[in-house]
Amino acid sequence: ADDAVNYGAIGVVIGHEMTHGFDDQGRQYDKDGNLQDWWTKEDAEAFNKRADRLVAQFDAIEVNAEGLHANGRFTLGENIADQGGLRVSYTAMHNSFGGNEPEAIDGFTADQRFYLSYATIWAQTMRDEEVIRRTKTDEHSLGKNRVNITLRNIEEFHKAFCITDGAMYLPKEERIIIW
């Protein structure tokens, strides 16, 4: 695949794993791997304020017709890592371009291919029973939410597809960026 597609898939996964060191759990360990609070009180409060807003976004998602909602607190670390992975890989992709914008492929810009690739890696179909089981037991959000909720928070995504309204639009003041 071209660079944009690779950065949008494996690049995001690599960035996701790197970001776990600074999510709600990883941030509690120091540089030597010891459980130690090394953050300033102000930094921890700012992080928790943003994290609580991200939790609320995911808590609001109704995952089935019976009214079961996603659990944003349970999936917080993975949701933070998804967002961090996207942002790290997007930056790395643009750094790799060296100031030159690649040509469009099949009418899609590099940024659009990046985000489409990310969405593709989380495409899945499952029975209602599996949706319920995963929502209750898996610390990862459902693939649909890893894409739709996470991308709605990212300004570059909105710019890539000129999103100004509709299901994927989220007003700037409601967007949450952890890292």
Side-chain angles (χ1 to χ4, degrees), residues 7 9-21 80-89:
Y7 276 102
I10 193 61
V12 172
V13 172
I14 292 167
H16 169 107
E17 297 305 333
M18 292 168 49
T19 306
H20 272 306
I80 290 171
D82 282 345
Q83 185 184 95
L86 277 158
R87 291 173 50 83
V88 165
S89 188

Side-chain angles (χ1 to χ4, degrees), residues 107-126:
F108 294 102
T109 66
D111 283 5
Q112 290 171 332
R113 294 191 313 274
F114 173 89
Y115 291 117
L116 289 169
S117 179
Y118 174 73
T120 300
I121 65 172
W122 300 119
Q124 57 190 188
T125 302
M126 63 182 78

Side-chain angles (χ1 to χ4, degrees), residues 5 10-11 22 41 48 50 82 84 143 167:
V5 170
I10 193 61
F22 304 95
K41 181 181 175 186
N48 288 329
R50 287 186 200 144
D82 282 345

